[in-house]
Amino acid sequence: APELETGVASPAQVIGLQAGDRIVAIDGQPVRPDEIADTIADSNGNELTLTVTRGGEELQLGPVAPQLVDDRYRVGFGLEGSGLGLVPSVGRAVEVTGLVAKEIVKSLGRLVTGDGRDEVSSPIGITQASSDAVERGAESYLWVLGLISLSLALLNLLPLLPLDGGHILFTLIEGARGKFLQREIYERVSVVGLAVVLLLFFVGLSNDIGKLS
């Protein structure tokens, strides 16, 4: 369990969390590994009790109050994963891709209603997130880099010109019609697509500048 930047023992150290402990529940509620960080972050600083397995025994650690670090509540430990075989890796990749695609759709929906404006980032925010990940280690950096690449790839598949998704959509339409669409239609749709892309860029840019200031 690492120490916080202030040099004060982290909450994980206070309750005696050890390397190799497996967290199976928080406040009596079973949690999967991918739910642990969000469950702690959503605690709003309220005390939590961790249920862990250690050496075949189940232990209750806490209660302890998470501390706010980098605008997120944390207890002060990192999760260690285990390697997967080829087939499980492919399945996990498909699962993560589905989750990211789902979150992108949700974010775009919230953006339309005006609630998701702060979720958009420009290259400035992407660079900052990558820099923060580098400080946490190579594994964290590669994970963030992969998520960024995946997110950009999925956004590129949106059915808007001049994005690849728009070209795919128009190719399917032309294939179904058996003839090419008029050039004027391409131009008009491209103007709408460019407007949407530029809008997202400037919204993300204003968010990142606001965070820096």
Side-chain angles (χ1 to χ4, degrees):
E3 291 187 351
L4 301 178
E5 294 181 358
T6 57
V8 179
S10 69
Q13 289 174 307
V14 172
I15 61 177
L17 190 67
Q18 299 180 7
D21 288 349
R22 181 171 180 267
I23 299 175
V24 295
I26 298 178
D27 280 345
Q29 298 297 320
V31 291
R32 300 193 308 269
D34 58 347
E35 297 174 333
I36 294 174
D38 288 338
T39 301
I40 294 173
D42 293 340
S43 67
N44 294 322
N46 296 321
E47 290 189 340
L48 301 172
T49 299
L50 306 183
T51 303
V52 305
T53 56
R54 180 188 302 167
E57 298 182 3
E58 190 171 283
L59 305 174
Q60 303 288 332
L61 303 181
V64 67
Q67 295 189 356
L68 191 61
V69 180
D70 296 332
D71 298 325
R72 188 175 175 88
Y73 284 102
R74 308 173 188 271
V75 173
F77 63 86
L79 298 177
E80 182 180 6
S82 56
L84 297 175
L86 177 60
V87 175
S89 296
V90 173
R92 181 59 176 166
V94 173
E95 180 184 355
V96 172
T97 301
L99 290 174
V100 174
K102 182 179 178 181
E103 290 302 318
I104 288 176
V105 173
K106 288 183 178 179
S107 296
L108 292 175
R110 289 191 292 268
L111 186 63
V112 171
T113 61
D115 297 330
R117 186 180 186 279
D118 58 344
E119 299 176 1
V120 183
S121 291
S122 70
I124 295 176
I126 293 175
T127 302
Q128 183 62 52
S130 300
S131 299
D132 294 341
V134 169
E135 295 178 358
R136 293 193 295 269
E139 183 177 350
S140 178
Y141 172 71
L142 292 175
W143 173 250
V144 171
L145 189 64
L147 284 179
I148 292 173
S149 299
L150 177 59
S151 299
L152 293 176
L154 292 174
L155 283 172
N156 191 43
L157 292 178
L158 290 175
L160 298 171
L161 289 174
L163 301 179
D164 289 343
H167 288 289
I168 294 173
L169 176 63
F170 272 70
T171 299
L172 293 176
I173 293 175
E174 291 175 342
R177 296 177 74 247
K179 60 180 179 179
F180 293 108
L181 294 171
Q182 296 179 357
R183 181 177 179 181
E184 290 78 7
I185 296 178
Y186 272 92
E187 292 175 346
R188 292 173 183 174
V189 176
S190 295
V191 169
V192 176
L194 283 172
V196 172
V197 172
L198 289 174
L199 175 62
L200 290 175
F201 174 79
F202 283 112
V203 168
L205 184 62
S206 63
N207 287 342
D208 294 333
I209 292 176
K211 292 176 183 178
L212 290 175
S213 60

